[in-house]
């Protein structure tokens, strides 16, 4: 399993255990995660839209106070997708 895949699994686990996460943030994170999974399964020529990174960073900032574990997991995904060139 790649580092990115493990990081995504960690984020899924954090997202699943997050209580009191507002629906907008939960929907955003689930949509971006689904997009990242699709990109990982797509041909190498597929590129991630820049707004995904912006959306994830914005979510991490909003979640920092109430959900530090989830915010950390989001930032770990951002780092991993950057290293993977996605």
């Amino acid at each position: 399993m790649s580092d990115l895949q493990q990081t995504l699994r960690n984020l899924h686990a954090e997202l699943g255990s997050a209580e009191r996460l507002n629906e907008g943030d939960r929907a955003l994170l689930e949509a971006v995660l689904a997009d990242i999974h699709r990109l990982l399964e797509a041909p190498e020529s597929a590129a991630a839209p820049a707004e995904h990174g912006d959306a994830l960073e914005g979510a991490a900032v909003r979640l920092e106070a109430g959900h530090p574990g989830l915010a950390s997991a989001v930032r770990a995904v951002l780092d991993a997708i950057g290293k993977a060139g996605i």
Side-chain angles (χ1 to χ4, degrees):
M1 176 181 313
S2 74
D3 287 340
L4 178 55
Q5 290 170 325
Q6 183 58 48
T7 303
L8 288 171
R9 285 183 190 265
N10 292 345
L11 179 54
H12 277 290
E14 286 287 340
L15 184 58
S17 66
E19 295 177 16
R20 301 182 326 260
L21 183 62
N22 76 50
E23 285 302 313
D25 285 339
R26 184 177 299 278
L28 168 70
L29 290 171
E30 289 174 352
V32 171
L33 284 171
D35 288 344
I36 291 169
H37 282 291
R38 276 193 293 279
L39 286 170
L40 290 173
E41 295 170 359
E44 301 240 353
S45 61
E51 65 266 11
H52 287 327
D54 294 342
L56 281 174
E57 183 59 36
V61 169
R62 285 190 308 278
L63 295 170
E64 195 66 48
H67 303 282
L70 187 53
S72 176
V74 168
R75 287 201 169 95
V77 167
L78 283 167
D79 185 50
I81 61 177
K83 288 178 182 175
I86 296 176

